[in-house]
Amino acid sequence: MMDIFEYFQNNWLLLLELTGGHILMVVCGLALALAVGVPLGMVCARNQKLGSWILAGANMIQVLPSLALLALLMLVFGLGFKTVVVGLFLYSLLPIIRNTAVGLQQVDKSIMEAGKGVGMSPLQMLLKVQFPLSLPFLMAGLRVAAVIAIGVATIAPLIGGEGLGREIYAGINYRNDTRIIAGAVPAALLAILADIFLGRLQKKLK
C-alpha cells in the first residue's frame, strides 16, 4: 500500500497529464456522438422504419469488441488520437440515439395537440416543445455513453493513443501492480464522477 501512495506522490504530474489526455479523448468522442446521435434520434422518433435500420446499425457497432473496432479504425485513420476519438464516437452513438428517440416519443400527446392548436409548425414543435421535454432522457443516454467511453479509452495506448491506459499497460508489461493501480484507480474515479455529475444534471432537467 505504501508503494502505491509513494508512486502517486512521485508521479502525480504525469498522472495528471494522462488524466487530462483521457478526459480530452472522451469529451471529443462524446461531442461528436451528440452532434450525430441527436439528429439520428430525431429521425428514429419520426420514422419508425428508417429508425429501426439506424438502431440496428448502432447496435452492430456496440456488439463489436472495442479492441477489434479500434484495430479496424486504425487501418483507416492510422495510429493516434484521431482513431481513438472516432472509436469512442461510434461506441457512444447507441445510447444517445436510442434515448433521444425514446424521449421524443414519450412527450405527452396533449402537449403536442396544444402546440398544434396555437399554430406551431412541425419544426417548431420539435425544437420548442418535444426536444426540451426529452432532455432528461437524452442526459440518461449521455450518462451511459460517458461511462462506456471512459472505459473504452483505457485501451487507447494499444493503437497509439494516450490516457490512463498507458499506465495500466505499462504495469502489465513490466508486471508492476503499482502502475496498474495508478492507471486503473483514476479511470474508475473518472467514470464514477461522470456518472454522478451527469446524474445530478439529469435530475435538474426533470
Side-chain angles (χ1 to χ4, degrees):
M1 187 63 72
M2 290 302 297
D3 289 342
I4 296 169
F5 285 119
E6 187 178 345
Y7 187 83
F8 272 98
Q9 187 177 8
N10 294 334
N11 297 277
W12 67 272
L13 273 175
L14 171 64
L15 293 172
L16 191 63
E17 181 183 342
L18 294 176
T19 301
H22 203 98
I23 292 171
L24 180 62
M25 291 187 296
V26 170
V27 168
C28 290
L30 290 175
L32 284 173
L34 282 172
V36 175
V38 172
L40 288 178
M42 292 178 176
V43 172
C44 291
R46 296 182 68 86
N47 188 323
Q48 288 189 350
K49 189 174 181 181
L50 181 58
S52 63
W53 283 99
I54 292 172
L55 286 171
N59 270 307
M60 286 177 63
I61 294 170
Q62 198 78 23
V63 167
L64 284 171
S66 51
L67 186 56
L69 176 62
L70 291 174
L72 289 172
L73 292 172
M74 183 179 65
L75 298 175
V76 179
F77 298 103
L79 293 168
F81 180 84
K82 187 194 301 183
T83 303
V84 180
V85 169
V86 174
L88 296 180
F89 152 67
L90 291 173
Y91 261 102
S92 302
L93 272 178
L94 178 60
I96 291 174
I97 294 172
R98 184 170 54 202
N99 281 51
T100 300
V102 170
L104 292 171
Q105 290 166 348
Q106 292 297 314
V107 175
D108 197 317
K109 290 184 179 180
S110 62
I111 297 175
M112 300 286 290
E113 291 299 325
K116 291 177 183 177
V118 296
M120 283 188 172
S121 67
L123 182 60
Q124 287 176 319
M125 287 283 292
L126 177 64
L127 297 178
K128 294 184 178 181
V129 178
Q130 287 177 282
F131 187 68
L133 290 174
S134 68
L135 278 177
F137 288 89
L138 173 57
M139 288 307 304
L142 180 60
R143 187 177 173 184
V144 172
V147 173
I148 292 171
I150 290 168
V152 173
T154 57
I155 65 173
L158 295 179
I159 54 167
E162 290 292 328
L164 292 163
R166 180 174 152 187
E167 279 295 284
I168 295 171
Y169 286 102
I172 293 170
N173 290 333
Y174 293 106
R175 297 183 180 180
N176 186 329
D177 294 342
T178 300
R179 295 192 73 175
I180 295 172
I181 293 169
V185 169
L189 287 175
L190 276 181
I192 292 168
L193 290 173
D195 185 61
I196 292 171
F197 173 74
L198 293 172
R200 288 183 177 177
L201 191 57
Q202 181 187 347
K203 287 180 181 178
K204 286 183 180 180
L205 292 171
K206 285 184 178 179

